[in-house]
Amino acid sequence: MTAIHETATAAASGASATERFKSDKLAGVANTPKERVSLLAREVLEAVHSTIRRNKVTYDEYNALKSWLISVGEDGEWPLFLDVWVEHVVEEVATEHRQGNKGTIEGPYYVPDAPERGAAGSVPMRPDEPGTPLVWTGRVTSTDGTALAGAKVELWHADAEGFYSQFAPGIPEWNLRATFTADADGKFEIRTVRPAPYQIPTDGACGKLIAAAGWHAWRPAHLHVKVSAPGHELLTAQLYFPGDEHNDDDIASAVKPELVLAPHPAADGHGEAVEYGFVLDPEVN
Ligand code: MBD
Ligand code: FE
């Protein structure tokens, strides 16, 4: 299509994602006992060893793996690889105690501090932003039903061609990214456009694995959100659209039935409207 898409390479998106994933993440595990590090590292290695033994992995296969792992780093695709094939289980374990909203994985393309839009407004978009207009109304409550006035709803999503601002080149900064603040009743109203199904980059190391294994590279169309309120657990989720052919075979295994929206034609005949609210779990101290 345009030059924008010719330059939206895996290496470019990967480099941005790697750059944005700050190295200070190690601070959070500074007090981890050696015993736990040893246990986790040993179990992962044992799983690799047993795969090699069971399947009689050859030197050619070992060398291909080694070369491929090197290229994951060179292409900046560790964030993509981990978020697509590992994060969903971490999310499952981290949130299994919750009574409130289901969440799902964050993925590689969140950027904090998106422009503020108050309780109601339009996300930043280009004047000719392609895609069906979508008006989304909802309410943020605690598990006991109380409205969470002032709750933050951070939204980010791909455009109608599957590209994320700040990661694909040629898209204005903050395009389709915004922060909303729930009103006194916990309510918000978001105007955006429907995103497209998303194909993860196929020209880098992750794409090589997908092609070599005969998998597909698709995620269903999705809206990403982080919903937060004082005294409550941060909810990271994605919302999906009914009937998307990839809802049942998301490459990132991140779809849950509770996260599928039910949009309907807007009353003014212009695009679609949808209602979806969030229930946050109080923090346990
Ligand atoms: C995405 O947009 C995404 O949400 C995930 C989880 C992985 C790759 C791209
Ligand atoms: Fe995404």
mmCIF file of all heavy atoms in Angstrom, residues 80 83-84 87 105-109 164 198 200 219 222 224 238 252 254, ligand 1:
data_model
loop_
_atom_site.group_PDB
_atom_site.id
_atom_site.type_symbol
_atom_site.label_atom_id
_atom_site.label_comp_id
_atom_site.label_asym_id
_atom_site.label_seq_id
_atom_site.Cartn_x
_atom_site.Cartn_y
_atom_site.Cartn_z
ATOM 1 N N LEU A 80 7.922 -9.697 21.944
ATOM 2 C CA LEU A 80 6.854 -10.315 21.149
ATOM 3 C C LEU A 80 6.763 -11.809 21.443
ATOM 4 O O LEU A 80 5.684 -12.340 21.736
ATOM 5 C CB LEU A 80 7.138 -10.085 19.660
ATOM 6 C CG LEU A 80 6.093 -10.641 18.688
ATOM 7 C CD1 LEU A 80 4.770 -9.905 18.844
ATOM 8 C CD2 LEU A 80 6.593 -10.525 17.244
ATOM 9 N N ASP A 83 5.407 -12.433 25.065
ATOM 10 C CA ASP A 83 4.021 -12.013 25.273
ATOM 11 C C ASP A 83 3.051 -12.891 24.475
ATOM 12 O O ASP A 83 1.916 -13.114 24.898
ATOM 13 C CB ASP A 83 3.842 -10.534 24.905
ATOM 14 C CG ASP A 83 4.629 -9.619 25.842
ATOM 15 O OD1 ASP A 83 5.156 -10.109 26.862
ATOM 16 O OD2 ASP A 83 4.727 -8.413 25.547
ATOM 17 N N VAL A 84 3.477 -13.380 23.328
ATOM 18 C CA VAL A 84 2.591 -14.217 22.507
ATOM 19 C C VAL A 84 2.497 -15.643 23.060
ATOM 20 O O VAL A 84 1.413 -16.217 23.113
ATOM 21 C CB VAL A 84 3.068 -14.225 21.032
ATOM 22 C CG1 VAL A 84 2.387 -15.344 20.238
ATOM 23 C CG2 VAL A 84 2.779 -12.883 20.371
ATOM 24 N N GLU A 87 3.107 -15.222 28.165
ATOM 25 C CA GLU A 87 2.452 -14.339 29.139
ATOM 26 C C GLU A 87 1.080 -14.841 29.591
ATOM 27 O O GLU A 87 0.700 -14.655 30.757
ATOM 28 C CB GLU A 87 2.320 -12.906 28.585
ATOM 29 C CG GLU A 87 1.829 -11.933 29.673
ATOM 30 C CD GLU A 87 1.481 -10.535 29.180
ATOM 31 O OE1 GLU A 87 1.708 -10.199 28.008
ATOM 32 O OE2 GLU A 87 0.955 -9.767 30.005
ATOM 33 N N ILE A 105 -3.672 -10.801 28.822
ATOM 34 C CA ILE A 105 -2.291 -10.326 28.726
ATOM 35 C C ILE A 105 -2.188 -8.872 28.274
ATOM 36 O O ILE A 105 -3.083 -8.342 27.611
ATOM 37 C CB ILE A 105 -1.468 -11.222 27.784
ATOM 38 C CG1 ILE A 105 -1.983 -11.147 26.335
ATOM 39 C CG2 ILE A 105 -1.501 -12.659 28.285
ATOM 40 C CD1 ILE A 105 -1.107 -11.917 25.348
ATOM 41 N N GLU A 106 -1.060 -8.256 28.630
ATOM 42 C CA GLU A 106 -0.788 -6.868 28.229
ATOM 43 C C GLU A 106 -0.250 -6.793 26.802
ATOM 44 O O GLU A 106 -0.580 -5.862 26.071
ATOM 45 C CB GLU A 106 0.236 -6.269 29.207
ATOM 46 C CG GLU A 106 0.731 -4.887 28.822
ATOM 47 C CD GLU A 106 1.617 -4.279 29.903
ATOM 48 O OE1 GLU A 106 1.386 -4.560 31.101
ATOM 49 O OE2 GLU A 106 2.543 -3.536 29.554
ATOM 50 N N GLY A 107 0.586 -7.754 26.418
ATOM 51 C CA GLY A 107 1.209 -7.681 25.094
ATOM 52 C C GLY A 107 2.330 -6.663 25.064
ATOM 53 O O GLY A 107 2.607 -6.004 26.066
ATOM 54 N N PRO A 108 2.972 -6.505 23.914
ATOM 55 C CA PRO A 108 4.192 -5.688 23.849
ATOM 56 C C PRO A 108 3.992 -4.200 23.574
ATOM 57 O O PRO A 108 4.974 -3.468 23.550
ATOM 58 C CB PRO A 108 4.975 -6.340 22.702
ATOM 59 C CG PRO A 108 3.977 -7.058 21.861
ATOM 60 C CD PRO A 108 2.776 -7.338 22.707
ATOM 61 N N TYR A 109 2.759 -3.711 23.377
ATOM 62 C CA TYR A 109 2.619 -2.373 22.804
ATOM 63 C C TYR A 109 1.964 -1.317 23.691
ATOM 64 O O TYR A 109 1.500 -0.299 23.209
ATOM 65 C CB TYR A 109 1.877 -2.469 21.457
ATOM 66 C CG TYR A 109 2.577 -3.348 20.444
ATOM 67 C CD1 TYR A 109 1.868 -4.186 19.589
ATOM 68 C CD2 TYR A 109 3.968 -3.348 20.336
ATOM 69 C CE1 TYR A 109 2.511 -4.993 18.655
ATOM 70 C CE2 TYR A 109 4.627 -4.151 19.414
ATOM 71 C CZ TYR A 109 3.897 -4.978 18.575
ATOM 72 O OH TYR A 109 4.534 -5.770 17.655
ATOM 73 N N TYR A 164 0.126 -0.291 15.346
ATOM 74 C CA TYR A 164 0.103 0.460 16.602
ATOM 75 C C TYR A 164 0.966 1.706 16.487
ATOM 76 O O TYR A 164 2.116 1.618 16.050
ATOM 77 C CB TYR A 164 0.672 -0.400 17.738
ATOM 78 C CG TYR A 164 -0.284 -1.443 18.255
ATOM 79 C CD1 TYR A 164 -0.350 -2.695 17.659
ATOM 80 C CD2 TYR A 164 -1.117 -1.180 19.338
ATOM 81 C CE1 TYR A 164 -1.220 -3.670 18.137
ATOM 82 C CE2 TYR A 164 -1.988 -2.143 19.825
ATOM 83 C CZ TYR A 164 -2.034 -3.386 19.218
ATOM 84 O OH TYR A 164 -2.895 -4.343 19.687
ATOM 85 N N TYR A 198 -5.189 -8.645 13.873
ATOM 86 C CA TYR A 198 -3.781 -8.253 13.908
ATOM 87 C C TYR A 198 -2.893 -9.444 13.590
ATOM 88 O O TYR A 198 -3.040 -10.507 14.187
ATOM 89 C CB TYR A 198 -3.473 -7.736 15.319
ATOM 90 C CG TYR A 198 -2.032 -7.375 15.523
ATOM 91 C CD1 TYR A 198 -1.565 -6.097 15.232
ATOM 92 C CD2 TYR A 198 -1.125 -8.317 15.999
ATOM 93 C CE1 TYR A 198 -0.245 -5.778 15.401
ATOM 94 C CE2 TYR A 198 0.204 -7.992 16.175
ATOM 95 C CZ TYR A 198 0.632 -6.726 15.870
ATOM 96 O OH TYR A 198 1.951 -6.410 16.037
ATOM 97 N N ILE A 200 0.861 -10.750 13.750
ATOM 98 C CA ILE A 200 2.151 -10.383 14.325
ATOM 99 C C ILE A 200 3.178 -10.344 13.190
ATOM 100 O O ILE A 200 2.994 -10.984 12.153
ATOM 101 C CB ILE A 200 2.589 -11.323 15.480
ATOM 102 C CG1 ILE A 200 3.059 -12.684 14.977
ATOM 103 C CG2 ILE A 200 1.495 -11.470 16.538
ATOM 104 C CD1 ILE A 200 3.904 -13.428 16.004
ATOM 105 N N ARG A 219 -3.910 -12.635 15.555
ATOM 106 C CA ARG A 219 -4.684 -12.378 16.758
ATOM 107 C C ARG A 219 -6.022 -11.812 16.296
ATOM 108 O O ARG A 219 -6.080 -11.091 15.307
ATOM 109 C CB ARG A 219 -4.005 -11.319 17.647
ATOM 110 C CG ARG A 219 -2.608 -11.722 18.152
ATOM 111 C CD ARG A 219 -2.386 -11.144 19.536
ATOM 112 N NE ARG A 219 -3.440 -11.635 20.390
ATOM 113 C CZ ARG A 219 -4.110 -10.925 21.282
ATOM 114 N NH1 ARG A 219 -3.819 -9.658 21.489
ATOM 115 N NH2 ARG A 219 -5.080 -11.454 21.993
ATOM 116 N N HIS A 222 -8.757 -6.549 18.653
ATOM 117 C CA HIS A 222 -8.863 -6.364 20.102
ATOM 118 C C HIS A 222 -8.583 -4.937 20.510
ATOM 119 O O HIS A 222 -7.831 -4.223 19.860
ATOM 120 C CB HIS A 222 -7.907 -7.312 20.842
ATOM 121 C CG HIS A 222 -6.480 -7.173 20.411
ATOM 122 N ND1 HIS A 222 -5.983 -7.749 19.265
ATOM 123 C CD2 HIS A 222 -5.429 -6.512 20.984
ATOM 124 C CE1 HIS A 222 -4.700 -7.459 19.154
ATOM 125 N NE2 HIS A 222 -4.331 -6.700 20.163
ATOM 126 N N HIS A 224 -7.084 -2.943 23.810
ATOM 127 C CA HIS A 224 -6.362 -3.154 25.071
ATOM 128 C C HIS A 224 -6.796 -2.117 26.098
ATOM 129 O O HIS A 224 -6.975 -0.940 25.749
ATOM 130 C CB HIS A 224 -4.862 -2.945 24.870
ATOM 131 C CG HIS A 224 -4.166 -3.974 24.051
ATOM 132 N ND1 HIS A 224 -3.599 -5.094 24.605
ATOM 133 C CD2 HIS A 224 -3.889 -4.042 22.731
ATOM 134 C CE1 HIS A 224 -3.007 -5.805 23.654
ATOM 135 N NE2 HIS A 224 -3.171 -5.196 22.506
ATOM 136 N N GLN A 238 -8.158 -7.207 27.498
ATOM 137 C CA GLN A 238 -8.392 -6.913 26.086
ATOM 138 C C GLN A 238 -9.840 -7.270 25.808
ATOM 139 O O GLN A 238 -10.377 -8.204 26.407
ATOM 140 C CB GLN A 238 -7.504 -7.765 25.165
ATOM 141 C CG GLN A 238 -6.020 -7.540 25.354
ATOM 142 C CD GLN A 238 -5.181 -8.416 24.427
ATOM 143 O OE1 GLN A 238 -5.566 -8.711 23.304
ATOM 144 N NE2 GLN A 238 -4.028 -8.832 24.904
ATOM 145 N N ALA A 252 -1.913 -15.773 20.533
ATOM 146 C CA ALA A 252 -1.436 -15.427 21.869
ATOM 147 C C ALA A 252 -2.282 -16.056 22.984
ATOM 148 O O ALA A 252 -2.056 -15.782 24.166
ATOM 149 C CB ALA A 252 -1.399 -13.904 22.046
ATOM 150 N N ALA A 254 -5.141 -15.491 24.253
ATOM 151 C CA ALA A 254 -5.526 -14.456 25.217
ATOM 152 C C ALA A 254 -7.016 -14.129 25.211
ATOM 153 O O ALA A 254 -7.436 -13.184 25.865
ATOM 154 C CB ALA A 254 -4.711 -13.180 24.949
HETATM 155 C C1 MBD B 1 -0.340 -7.633 19.913
HETATM 156 O O1 MBD B 1 -1.045 -6.564 19.479
HETATM 157 C C2 MBD B 1 -0.707 -8.192 21.072
HETATM 158 O O2 MBD B 1 -1.764 -7.674 21.696
HETATM 159 C C3 MBD B 1 -0.019 -9.296 21.569
HETATM 160 C C4 MBD B 1 -0.456 -9.927 22.800
HETATM 161 C C5 MBD B 1 1.060 -9.797 20.890
HETATM 162 C C6 MBD B 1 1.443 -9.218 19.730
HETATM 163 C C7 MBD B 1 0.752 -8.141 19.245
#
